[in-house]
Protein backbone atom coordinates (compact mmCIF):
# COMPACT_ATOMS: atom_id res chain seq x y z
CA UNK A 1 0.00 0.00 0.00
CA UNK A 2 1.40 3.38 -1.02
CA UNK A 3 1.79 6.21 1.46
CA UNK A 4 -0.85 8.97 1.33
CA UNK A 5 0.12 12.31 -0.21
CA UNK A 6 1.69 15.10 1.81
CA UNK A 7 -0.66 17.65 3.39
CA UNK A 8 0.07 20.22 0.68
CA UNK A 9 -0.78 17.64 -2.01
CA UNK A 10 -4.22 16.55 -0.79
CA UNK A 11 -5.77 18.73 -3.52
CA UNK A 12 -2.83 18.28 -5.92
CA UNK A 13 -4.80 16.81 -8.84
CA UNK A 14 -7.14 19.81 -9.10
CA UNK A 15 -4.41 22.37 -8.32
CA UNK A 16 -2.12 20.98 -11.03
CA UNK A 17 -4.92 21.10 -13.59
CA UNK A 18 -5.75 24.70 -12.66
CA UNK A 19 -2.22 26.07 -12.34
CA UNK A 20 0.37 23.88 -14.03
CA UNK A 21 1.42 24.30 -17.68
CA UNK A 22 -0.15 27.72 -18.15
CA UNK A 23 2.60 29.85 -19.65
CA UNK A 24 1.08 33.35 -19.75
CA UNK A 25 2.34 34.25 -16.26
CA UNK A 26 5.86 34.85 -17.67
CA UNK A 27 6.84 36.58 -20.92
CA UNK A 28 9.22 33.72 -21.57
CA UNK A 29 10.72 30.84 -19.64
CA UNK A 30 13.78 28.83 -20.62
CA UNK A 31 14.89 25.58 -18.96
CA UNK A 32 17.86 23.43 -19.97
CA UNK A 33 18.47 20.04 -18.33
CA UNK A 34 21.48 17.82 -18.92
CA UNK A 35 23.28 14.92 -17.27
CA UNK A 36 27.04 14.38 -17.31
CA UNK A 37 28.58 10.91 -17.84
CA UNK A 38 29.41 10.68 -14.12
CA UNK A 39 25.74 11.12 -13.19
CA UNK A 40 25.85 14.79 -12.20
CA UNK A 41 22.74 16.57 -13.49
CA UNK A 42 22.54 20.26 -14.34
CA UNK A 43 19.51 22.49 -14.61
CA UNK A 44 19.69 26.05 -15.97
CA UNK A 45 16.57 28.21 -15.68
CA UNK A 46 15.85 31.70 -16.93
CA UNK A 47 12.67 33.74 -17.08
CA UNK A 48 11.42 37.22 -17.81
CA UNK A 49 8.26 38.74 -16.38
CA UNK A 50 5.85 40.98 -18.23
CA UNK A 51 7.39 43.88 -16.30
CA UNK A 52 10.76 43.14 -17.99
CA UNK A 53 12.35 41.74 -14.81
CA UNK A 54 14.67 38.83 -15.51
CA UNK A 55 16.05 36.12 -13.26
CA UNK A 56 18.03 32.92 -13.70
CA UNK A 57 19.56 30.07 -11.73
CA UNK A 58 22.17 27.36 -12.23
CA UNK A 59 21.72 24.09 -10.36
CA UNK A 60 23.94 21.04 -10.09
CA UNK A 61 22.82 17.78 -8.48
CA UNK A 62 24.97 14.80 -7.52
CA UNK A 63 23.53 11.52 -6.29
CA UNK A 64 26.00 9.39 -4.36
CA UNK A 65 24.26 6.05 -4.69
CA UNK A 66 24.67 3.44 -1.93
CA UNK A 67 27.63 1.19 -2.59
CA UNK A 68 29.65 -1.51 -0.88
CA UNK A 69 32.28 -4.25 -1.09
CA UNK A 70 31.70 -7.95 -1.62
CA UNK A 71 33.63 -10.20 0.78
CA UNK A 72 33.91 -13.97 0.33
CA UNK A 73 35.77 -16.96 1.76
CA UNK A 74 34.96 -16.14 5.39
CA UNK A 75 34.73 -18.95 7.91
CA UNK A 76 32.12 -17.48 10.27
CA UNK A 77 28.36 -17.12 10.02
CA UNK A 78 26.26 -14.09 11.00
CA UNK A 79 22.53 -13.54 11.06
CA UNK A 80 21.79 -11.01 8.32
CA UNK A 81 19.88 -7.85 9.32
CA UNK A 82 16.83 -6.70 7.35
CA UNK A 83 17.81 -5.61 3.79
CA UNK A 84 16.85 -1.96 4.35
CA UNK A 85 19.41 -1.51 7.16
CA UNK A 86 22.37 0.68 6.25
CA UNK A 87 26.00 0.67 7.42
CA UNK A 88 25.96 -2.98 8.41
CA UNK A 89 26.91 -6.39 6.94
CA UNK A 90 24.44 -8.39 4.87
CA UNK A 91 25.13 -11.98 3.93
CA UNK A 92 23.79 -14.78 1.80
CA UNK A 93 24.65 -18.45 2.18
CA UNK A 94 24.55 -20.45 -1.05
CA UNK A 95 24.47 -24.25 -0.76
CA UNK A 96 24.90 -26.42 -3.84
CA UNK A 97 25.92 -30.07 -4.33
CA UNK A 98 29.60 -30.40 -3.43
CA UNK A 99 29.99 -26.65 -2.85
CA UNK A 100 29.04 -23.85 -0.47
CA UNK A 101 29.57 -20.10 -0.54
CA UNK A 102 29.18 -17.26 1.89
CA UNK A 103 28.69 -13.87 0.28
CA UNK A 104 28.82 -10.70 2.38
CA UNK A 105 28.07 -7.13 1.41
CA UNK A 106 28.62 -3.93 3.37
CA UNK A 107 26.13 -1.28 2.31
CA UNK A 108 27.22 2.33 2.60
CA UNK A 109 24.55 5.00 2.76
CA UNK A 110 24.53 7.39 -0.17
CA UNK A 111 23.34 10.97 -0.28
CA UNK A 112 22.12 13.55 -2.78
CA UNK A 113 23.85 16.92 -2.96
CA UNK A 114 22.28 19.87 -4.79
CA UNK A 115 23.92 23.27 -5.27
CA UNK A 116 22.37 26.28 -6.99
CA UNK A 117 23.37 29.87 -7.69
CA UNK A 118 20.84 32.48 -8.76
CA UNK A 119 21.09 35.92 -10.35
CA UNK A 120 19.93 37.31 -6.98
CA UNK A 121 23.41 36.22 -5.79
CA UNK A 122 22.05 33.49 -3.55
CA UNK A 123 24.03 30.28 -3.12
CA UNK A 124 21.84 27.40 -1.95
CA UNK A 125 22.95 23.94 -0.87
CA UNK A 126 20.76 20.96 -0.05
CA UNK A 127 21.83 17.57 1.31
CA UNK A 128 19.31 14.71 1.21
CA UNK A 129 19.34 11.30 2.87
CA UNK A 130 16.40 9.24 1.64
CA UNK A 131 15.68 5.92 3.38
CA UNK A 132 19.13 6.02 5.01
CA UNK A 133 18.36 6.80 8.65
CA UNK A 134 15.36 4.44 8.73
CA UNK A 135 12.85 2.99 6.33
CA UNK A 136 10.44 5.67 5.14
CA UNK A 137 12.49 8.55 6.59
CA UNK A 138 13.96 11.31 4.44
CA UNK A 139 16.19 13.97 6.00
CA UNK A 140 17.18 17.25 4.34
CA UNK A 141 19.59 19.99 5.36
CA UNK A 142 19.38 23.30 3.46
CA UNK A 143 21.84 26.17 3.68
CA UNK A 144 21.68 29.60 2.02
CA UNK A 145 24.48 32.12 1.67
CA UNK A 146 24.15 35.68 0.34
CA UNK A 147 27.67 36.91 -0.55
CA UNK A 148 26.60 40.54 -1.07
CA UNK A 149 25.13 40.94 2.43
CA UNK A 150 27.00 38.14 4.22
CA UNK A 151 23.63 36.70 5.13
CA UNK A 152 23.05 33.10 6.10
CA UNK A 153 20.14 30.74 6.32
CA UNK A 154 19.82 27.20 7.61
CA UNK A 155 16.88 24.81 7.55
CA UNK A 156 16.28 21.17 8.37
CA UNK A 157 13.43 19.08 6.99
CA UNK A 158 12.24 15.64 7.95
CA UNK A 159 9.81 13.45 5.98
CA UNK A 160 8.24 10.24 7.26
CA UNK A 161 6.16 7.97 5.03
CA UNK A 162 4.41 4.72 5.85
CA UNK A 163 1.46 2.95 4.19
CA UNK A 164 -1.20 4.95 6.09
CA UNK A 165 0.59 8.10 7.20
CA UNK A 166 2.75 10.86 5.71
CA UNK A 167 4.19 13.48 8.05
CA UNK A 168 6.72 16.29 7.56
CA UNK A 169 8.60 18.79 9.69
CA UNK A 170 10.21 21.98 8.35
CA UNK A 171 12.48 23.81 10.78
CA UNK A 172 14.06 27.21 10.17
CA UNK A 173 17.06 27.13 12.47
CA UNK A 174 18.03 30.82 12.31
CA UNK A 175 14.74 32.68 11.95
CA UNK A 176 12.71 32.19 15.10
CA UNK A 177 13.50 29.35 15.16
CA UNK A 178 10.21 28.31 13.61
CA UNK A 179 8.82 24.86 12.90
CA UNK A 180 6.03 23.80 10.59
CA UNK A 181 4.67 20.29 11.08
CA UNK A 182 2.00 18.58 9.01
CA UNK A 183 0.59 15.08 8.76
CA UNK A 184 -1.79 13.18 6.50
CA UNK A 185 -3.60 9.97 7.38
CA UNK A 186 -5.12 7.88 4.59
CA UNK A 187 -7.35 4.81 4.39
CA UNK A 188 -8.96 3.37 1.25
CA UNK A 189 -8.85 6.71 -0.56
CA UNK A 190 -10.03 8.86 2.35
CA UNK A 191 -7.52 11.52 3.47
CA UNK A 192 -7.39 13.67 6.59
CA UNK A 193 -4.58 16.15 7.19
CA UNK A 194 -3.54 19.01 9.45
CA UNK A 195 -0.74 21.56 9.63
CA UNK A 196 0.58 23.85 12.36
CA UNK A 197 3.41 26.39 12.56
CA UNK A 198 5.17 27.20 15.84
CA UNK A 199 7.42 30.17 16.64
CA UNK A 200 9.89 29.57 19.47
CA UNK A 201 10.41 33.27 20.26
CA UNK A 202 6.68 33.94 20.39
CA UNK A 203 6.13 30.65 22.22
CA UNK A 204 2.95 30.04 20.31
CA UNK A 205 1.30 28.63 17.21
CA UNK A 206 1.32 31.22 14.44
CA UNK A 207 -0.97 29.47 11.97
CA UNK A 208 -2.80 26.21 11.42
CA UNK A 209 -4.69 24.47 8.64
CA UNK A 210 -6.77 21.35 8.03
CA UNK A 211 -7.96 19.36 5.03
CA UNK A 212 -10.00 16.33 4.07
CA UNK A 213 -10.10 14.57 0.73
CA UNK A 214 -11.07 11.48 -1.22
CA UNK A 215 -8.92 10.15 -4.05
CA UNK A 216 -9.51 7.48 -6.66
CA UNK A 217 -7.60 6.74 -9.89
CA UNK A 218 -10.03 8.75 -12.07
CA UNK A 219 -11.35 11.42 -9.71
CA UNK A 220 -10.48 13.29 -6.53
CA UNK A 221 -12.18 15.80 -4.23
CA UNK A 222 -10.81 17.88 -1.37
CA UNK A 223 -11.85 20.55 1.13
CA UNK A 224 -9.14 22.66 2.74
CA UNK A 225 -9.16 25.33 5.46
CA UNK A 226 -5.95 27.38 5.53
CA UNK A 227 -4.64 30.60 7.12
CA UNK A 228 -5.78 29.56 10.62
CA UNK A 229 -9.06 28.21 9.25
CA UNK A 230 -10.01 31.51 7.60
CA UNK A 231 -9.69 30.59 3.88
CA UNK A 232 -11.86 27.68 2.71
CA UNK A 233 -11.50 25.88 -0.61
CA UNK A 234 -13.34 23.01 -2.26
CA UNK A 235 -11.87 21.36 -5.36
CA UNK A 236 -12.80 18.54 -7.68
CA UNK A 237 -10.84 16.68 -10.38
CA UNK A 238 -12.14 14.15 -12.89
CA UNK A 239 -10.23 12.20 -15.51
CA UNK A 240 -13.08 11.73 -17.96
CA UNK A 241 -11.12 9.45 -20.27
CA UNK A 242 -7.60 9.00 -21.60
CA UNK A 243 -7.76 12.34 -23.46
CA UNK A 244 -9.94 14.62 -21.32
CA UNK A 245 -9.48 15.94 -17.77
CA UNK A 246 -11.69 18.47 -15.97
CA UNK A 247 -11.63 20.21 -12.63
CA UNK A 248 -12.92 23.13 -10.59
CA UNK A 249 -12.12 25.01 -7.40
CA UNK A 250 -14.15 27.36 -5.23
CA UNK A 251 -12.51 29.57 -2.56
CA UNK A 252 -13.99 31.78 0.15
CA UNK A 253 -11.97 34.09 2.41
CA UNK A 254 -13.90 34.71 5.62
CA UNK A 255 -11.71 37.74 6.43
CA UNK A 256 -12.20 39.49 3.10
CA UNK A 257 -15.21 41.41 4.32
CA UNK A 258 -17.65 40.05 1.74
CA UNK A 259 -19.39 36.80 0.88
CA UNK A 260 -18.01 36.50 -2.65
CA UNK A 261 -16.78 33.04 -3.62
CA UNK A 262 -13.97 32.80 -6.17
CA UNK A 263 -14.62 30.08 -8.75
CA UNK A 264 -12.27 28.65 -11.35
CA UNK A 265 -12.79 25.81 -13.82
CA UNK A 266 -10.28 24.15 -16.14
CA UNK A 267 -10.00 21.39 -18.72
CA UNK A 268 -7.19 19.55 -20.46
CA UNK A 269 -7.36 17.73 -23.78
CA UNK A 270 -4.58 15.47 -25.04
CA UNK A 271 -4.44 15.99 -28.79
CA UNK A 272 -1.99 13.15 -29.41
CA UNK A 273 0.82 11.38 -27.50
CA UNK A 274 3.11 14.38 -28.11
CA UNK A 275 0.87 17.37 -27.35
CA UNK A 276 -2.00 18.67 -25.24
CA UNK A 277 -4.07 21.82 -24.81
CA UNK A 278 -5.50 23.41 -21.67
CA UNK A 279 -8.05 26.12 -20.92
CA UNK A 280 -9.44 27.74 -17.80
CA UNK A 281 -11.70 30.62 -16.79
CA UNK A 282 -12.55 32.22 -13.45
CA UNK A 283 -15.46 34.22 -12.04
CA UNK A 284 -13.66 37.52 -12.78
CA UNK A 285 -13.78 36.81 -16.49
CA UNK A 286 -10.07 35.99 -16.91
CA UNK A 287 -9.63 33.20 -19.44
CA UNK A 288 -6.37 31.40 -20.22
CA UNK A 289 -5.32 28.89 -22.84
CA UNK A 290 -2.13 26.87 -23.25
CA UNK A 291 -0.54 24.49 -25.73
CA UNK A 292 2.31 22.07 -25.04
CA UNK A 293 4.08 19.96 -27.66
CA UNK A 294 7.14 17.73 -27.77
CA UNK A 295 8.64 18.91 -31.07
CA UNK A 296 11.45 16.37 -31.00
CA UNK A 297 13.12 14.22 -28.32
CA UNK A 298 14.62 16.60 -25.78
CA UNK A 299 12.79 19.77 -26.93
CA UNK A 300 9.41 20.82 -25.53
CA UNK A 301 7.59 24.02 -26.50
CA UNK A 302 4.84 25.64 -24.47
CA UNK A 303 2.69 28.60 -25.54
CA UNK A 304 0.09 30.40 -23.47
CA UNK A 305 -2.17 33.44 -23.37
CA UNK A 306 -4.68 35.02 -21.01
CA UNK A 307 -7.53 37.39 -21.81
CA UNK A 308 -9.70 39.66 -19.72
CA UNK A 309 -13.08 38.98 -21.30
CA UNK A 310 -14.54 42.07 -19.61
CA UNK A 311 -11.89 44.35 -21.15
CA UNK A 312 -11.22 42.92 -24.57
CA UNK A 313 -10.53 46.36 -26.01
CA UNK A 314 -7.84 47.15 -23.41
CA UNK A 315 -4.19 46.10 -23.27
CA UNK A 316 -4.63 43.78 -20.31
CA UNK A 317 -3.96 40.50 -22.11
CA UNK A 318 -0.79 38.46 -21.65
CA UNK A 319 1.12 35.94 -23.75
CA UNK A 320 4.07 33.75 -22.83
CA UNK A 321 6.34 31.00 -24.11
CA UNK A 322 8.21 28.16 -22.44
CA UNK A 323 11.21 26.37 -23.93
CA UNK A 324 12.59 23.21 -22.35
CA UNK A 325 15.68 21.34 -23.55
CA UNK A 326 16.63 18.00 -22.04
CA UNK A 327 19.85 16.18 -22.80
Amino acid sequence: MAAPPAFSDIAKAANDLLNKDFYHTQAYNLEVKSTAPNGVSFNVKGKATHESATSASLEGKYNDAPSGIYISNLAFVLQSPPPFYENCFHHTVILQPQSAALLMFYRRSGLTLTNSWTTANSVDTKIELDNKLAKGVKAEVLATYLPSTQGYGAKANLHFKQPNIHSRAFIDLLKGPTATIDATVGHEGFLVGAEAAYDVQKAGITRYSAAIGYTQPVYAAAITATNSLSVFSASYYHKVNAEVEAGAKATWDSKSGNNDVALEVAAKYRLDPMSFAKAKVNDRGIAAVAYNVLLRPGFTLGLGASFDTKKLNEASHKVGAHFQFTG
Side-chain angles (χ1 to χ4, degrees), residues 45-66:
K45 297 179 181 179
K47 63 181 180 180
T49 67
H50 293 285
E51 292 75 27
S52 300
T54 60
S55 61
S57 65
L58 170 63
E59 178 184 282
K61 186 174 184 179
Y62 173 68
N63 185 15
D64 181 23

Side-chain angles (χ1 to χ4, degrees), residues 157-226:
N157 303 333
L158 196 63
H159 305 249
F160 177 70
K161 292 195 294 185
Q162 292 296 320
N164 292 311
I165 187 171
H166 188 165
S167 62
R168 305 179 301 175
F170 306 94
I171 304 172
D172 193 321
L173 302 174
L174 301 183
K175 295 181 180 180
T178 61
T180 302
I181 301 174
D182 63 43
T184 303
V185 178
H187 179 69
E188 296 182 352
F190 289 95
L191 303 171
V192 177
E195 176 192 61
Y198 182 82
D199 191 311
V200 174
Q201 289 186 347
K202 296 180 181 179
I205 296 176
T206 57
R207 72 174 189 276
Y208 46 90
S209 306
I212 59 174
Y214 184 71
T215 301
Q216 289 297 315
V218 295
Y219 65 90
I223 299 175
T224 62
T226 58

